Amino acid sequence: MGSPVKDVSIPENAPKTLLLQKHCDYIAAYGSKKDEYEYCMTEYLRMSGIYWGLTVMDLMGQLDKMNKQEVLDFVHQCQHECGGVGASIGHDPHLLYTLSAVQIVTLYDAQDTLDVEKLVQFVKDLQQEDGSFVGDKWGEVDTRFSFCAVACLALLGRLNEVNIDKAVDFILSCMNFDGGFGCRPGSESHSGQIYCCLGMLSIVGRLHHVNADMLGWWLCERQLPSGGLNGRPEKLPDVCYSWWVLASLKIIGKIHWIDKEKLVRFILACQDEETGGFADRPGDVVDPFHTLFGITGLSLLGEQILKPVNPVFCMPEETIRKAGIKLELLT
């Protein structure tokens, strides 16, 4: 006999409808509590936190509730002389936060907030001889950084600035026997890395290299009896995988392969009826990260009250269309 599947149970009294206004109020209030412990302890990922909050508010039709000028001033102050952007003022530049900054200024149609020429040079300088990208001057290689680099340049209309063929070759060297992708060659498949690799291949129009049926099967097996999705085998479900797994399935045209009703039920059960916001699992503490991915998951599943989300950039579809970006998606 095999070991029992790791999963959670959904309480009978868990929320069954989308508490939209509660979530808007939760996100709008989060950034105003700058002296609270939780806010202070998350300074190391502040730029991404602002991107999560702005994107989820935009998808809920409430972006105007956020302080645009304060946000853009902060982004400007986080850009370094080398062109890269840090997580917060005085933090070292890194590709992860550079992408968040580019996404933020794109949401606001304010790319002149950043020195684009220097930023493009920063991204170019991080590409290695084998086509991979390091995240910063310290040299860690990860397929996430390949996605970040290509996504930054696509949003800025500068994709031609790096060696795309080599970048694709590196991504393909990280493909595994199960159809998935890891963070480096030989690393195990993981839903988050799969999303990054598929997103990168979608942006540059090279999805034909992917075995969509085999990968779609692996991704569908991430759904547990509770309806929630996990990141890899033998792990508990987590609301954030409602984004990484679903967006990947959407990119390869297999989103109908999962049980939509069970997943919607799981996502809704992760809401906090009192404070608003989503947690990783029912009954846990909410945060902006899981709130974004709960909302984007519901958007991908067709929740009409939300704006459609783009499965590659995790931004409103209308924003990507306005930017004139053409993506390859399998059908």
Side-chain angles (χ1 to χ4, degrees):
M1 288 178 63
S3 58
V5 174
K6 289 184 179 178
D7 201 1
V8 298
S9 55
I10 297 178
E12 273 302 310
N13 62 349
K16 294 177 176 61
T17 57
L18 180 58
L19 311 170
L20 193 76
Q21 195 52 50
K22 288 262 189 188
H23 303 317
C24 293
D25 295 343
Y26 165 72
I27 293 292
Y30 188 85
S32 64
K33 300 171 181 174
K34 293 184 171 58
D35 56 346
E36 289 196 357
Y37 177 79
E38 185 184 357
Y39 187 89
C40 296
M41 289 303 290
T42 53
E43 185 185 13
Y44 68 94
L45 44 72
R46 179 76 64 240
M47 188 65 69
S48 293
I50 292 172
Y51 152 69
W52 301 331
L54 293 177
T55 301
V56 75
M57 289 297 267
D58 201 353
L59 291 169
M60 296 189 293
Q62 306 254 357
L63 185 58
D64 59 343
K65 297 274 172 62
M66 308 299 268
N67 188 326
K68 175 180 176 179
Q69 198 52 53
E70 185 183 339
V71 167
L72 294 179
D73 288 346
F74 175 78
V75 170
H76 178 73
Q77 289 177 279
C78 291
Q79 186 172 25
H80 288 249
E81 189 57 35
C82 67
V85 181
S88 193
I89 298 166
H91 287 231
D92 287 349
H94 194 286
L95 252 181
L96 289 172
Y97 306 114
T98 302
L99 174 58
S100 292
V102 172
Q103 288 171 305
I104 289 165
V105 299
T106 303
L107 280 172
Y108 277 130
D109 197 15
Q111 290 185 347
D112 58 353
T113 304
L114 294 165
D115 186 326
V116 171
E117 293 305 319
K118 284 184 176 177
L119 192 152
V120 169
Q121 189 61 48
F122 172 75
V123 174
K124 282 178 67 173
D125 290 345
L126 293 174
Q127 188 170 27
Q128 306 301 294
E129 189 55 41
D130 64 355
S132 66
F133 285 84
V134 294
D136 58 15
K137 65 182 180 181
W138 304 111
E140 181 190 7
V141 171
D142 191 309
T143 47
R144 289 179 304 157
F145 307 150
S146 296
F147 171 74
C148 290
V150 166
C152 276
L153 297 176
L155 288 170
L156 297 171
R158 303 288 289 273
L159 256 183
N160 60 329
E161 299 277 355
V162 292
N163 189 323
I164 295 297
D165 289 339
K166 278 191 168 185
V168 169
D169 287 344
F170 175 73
I171 290 291
L172 297 179
S173 75
C174 300
M175 189 190 293
N176 291 321
F177 69 93
D178 53 19
F181 296 85
C183 57
R184 286 180 289 279
S187 299
E188 71 169 317
S189 297
H190 186 283
S191 302
Q193 307 295 150
I194 288 168
Y195 161 79
C196 290
C197 294
L198 289 180
M200 186 272 188
L201 293 172
S202 170
I203 292 169
V204 301
R206 306 284 182 90
L207 281 174
H208 59 275
H209 291 295
V210 173
N211 185 330
D213 285 350
M214 184 159 63
L215 178 54
W217 182 252
W218 189 93
L219 289 165
C220 290
E221 287 192 317
R222 306 282 58 78
Q223 188 163 33
L224 297 164
S226 64
L229 302 165
N230 63 17
R232 52 202 165 103
E234 300 298 315
K235 296 294 182 181
L236 287 171
D238 186 320
V239 154
C240 70
Y241 294 111
S242 305
W243 172 255
W244 312 119
V245 174
L246 269 192
S248 298
L249 286 167
K250 179 78 172 176
I251 291 168
I252 61 172
K254 307 293 185 190
I255 197 166
H256 56 288
W257 281 16
I258 58 118
D259 189 322
K260 172 185 168 180
E261 287 183 13
K262 286 177 76 171
L263 180 53
V264 168
R265 179 170 168 260
F266 174 82
I267 296 172
L268 293 176
C270 295
Q271 300 174 101
D272 189 311
E273 290 178 289
E274 291 180 25
T275 65
F278 288 77
D280 56 351
R281 288 179 273 279
D284 285 357
V285 178
V286 301
D287 61 69
F289 175 84
H290 289 95
T291 301
L292 170 63
F293 294 129
I295 290 291
T296 53
L298 292 172
S299 175
L300 283 175
L301 293 167
E303 172 55 66
Q304 294 297 303
I305 202 169
L306 302 170
K307 291 183 184 179
V309 66
N310 182 275
V312 172
F313 286 97
C314 196
M315 297 165 70
E317 195 69 76
E318 62 188 19
T319 304
I320 300 306
R321 219 170 21 245
K322 190 176 174 187
I325 297 172
K326 296 281 189 288
L327 296 168
E328 180 186 17
L329 300 176
L330 302 181
T331 54

